Amino acid sequence: MKALILNSGAGRRMGGLTADKPKGMTEIGGGYTILSRQLTQLAAAGVTQAVITTGPFADKLRAYVESLRLPMAVTYVHSPEYATTNYIVSIHLAASLLRGEDVFLCHGDLVMETAVLRALLASPVSVMAVDRTLPLPEKDFKARLRDGAIVAVGVNLFGSDCVACQPAYRWRAEDFALWLTRIAAFVQRGETGVYAENALNEADGAIPLMPLELHGQLCAEIDNADDLRTVGAAFMRTLAAEG
């Protein structure tokens, strides 16, 4: 299995915290940054290969990861048009490194407890993290379910068939390949300012993806300074509980 961590965004909503570094290098407590926590967890779970997409401060991010000296081979894929495109382009650029592989995919600003990561990695089917204990967020990702499977993911989905979700996936190789093909079609058409999930939604359930229920466990993005405070506090409680 390979990990794909998306770090090509500019992180503008973080204000001065990302003025001179990628959002993934934001400190969250306990001596960790978002990215060092992700990579340390993955390495401890036995993942030995990772692909990290980059945007601004790519050289700084690479040097930082190498300074961690983790037992993991990391490949970097730079998205030169990060300022004008969405991460659908980053995934497309990384496709040749990922086809034929089972893939763990997460956004570079996601913080999760170790039990969540291990549940994702252990799933025998393609899954995305969802949490029915939470209300539907106004501006963040929701997943639409049909017959128990996820058929759409987006920020503008609402209704009784939708649940809160987070951009943390475990993909079987064959399912991920279907998504990559759809992503390539979007990029070739010039639809590069949309979420990669738009290409998933176009398949209308033809790409197998099941919900993995979080039951209130920590799995949350840090989009702004307020998130950093709340998610950071939850992370420290989780870190203490994990020992």
Side-chain angles (χ1 to χ4, degrees), residues 28 31 38 84 130 134 141 176 211 215:
I28 55 174
Q38 291 171 336
T84 56
V130 308
L134 298 177
F141 273 164
F176 193 65
H215 300 292

Side-chain angles (χ1 to χ4, degrees), residues 4-161:
L4 172 61
I5 303 176
L6 304 177
N7 264 295
S8 45
R12 295 184 183 91
R13 284 185 285 175
M14 296 290 285
L17 292 170
T18 53
D20 61 354
K21 63 180 181 296
K23 193 194 322 187
M25 289 176 60
T26 302
E27 295 182 2
I28 55 174
Y32 288 102
T33 63
I34 302 172
L35 182 56
S36 71
R37 174 64 172 174
Q38 291 171 336
L39 291 175
T40 299
Q41 286 176 301
L42 286 164
V47 176
T48 60
Q49 297 182 77
V51 176
I52 299 178
T53 69
T54 65
F57 312 112
D59 291 341
K60 181 174 286 189
L61 184 144
R62 182 170 186 158
Y64 172 70
V65 171
E66 291 175 354
S67 75
L68 299 176
R69 300 187 180 280
L70 294 170
M72 180 181 292
V74 180
T75 305
Y76 304 89
V77 175
H78 185 60
S79 183
E81 298 180 347
Y82 66 84
T84 56
T85 63
N86 212 323
Y87 59 81
I88 189 170
V89 173
S90 299
I91 296 177
H92 179 64
L93 291 173
S96 63
L97 300 171
L98 301 166
R99 283 194 182 274
E101 302 278 354
D102 288 354
V103 173
F104 167 79
L105 165 62
C106 75
H107 287 197
D109 58 2
L110 195 70
V111 177
M112 70 184 75
E113 56 188 273
T114 300
V116 171
L117 174 64
R118 291 188 177 274
L120 286 162
L121 296 178
S123 175
V125 298
S126 297
V127 290
M128 181 185 194
V130 308
D131 197 338
R132 299 171 201 264
T133 70
L134 298 177
L136 292 183
E138 284 294 322
K139 299 179 180 180
D140 295 326
F141 273 164
K142 280 80 67 176
R144 172 160 285 142
L145 305 181
R146 183 195 304 151
D147 298 327
I150 295 174
V151 297
V153 175
V155 297
N156 295 319
L157 302 177
F158 293 94
S160 60
D161 57 350

